[in-house]
Amino acid sequence: MRIFLLGLLLGGFSAGVTGHYTGDPQLAACVGIVAAVATWLGIATVIFCSDPE
């Protein structure tokens, strides 16, 4: 659950900063979604790659 919330937090922060600097809400939404998904995929990759077998 913490990973999910971290992704939402970073996605929201990225979208807010992008929206502030560009003034384009569609671009800000896209950046927020990409940042959230990248966070989740990056952490999932670290978890799967560090799994000792």
Side-chain angles (χ1 to χ4, degrees), residues 8-46:
L8 287 180
L9 177 72
L10 292 176
F13 179 73
S14 298
V17 170
T18 303
H20 176 72
Y21 284 116
T22 65
D24 186 7
Q26 286 183 325
L27 177 63
C30 290
V31 168
I33 291 169
V34 168
V37 171
T39 300
W40 295 327
L41 291 177
I43 293 174
T45 302
V46 168

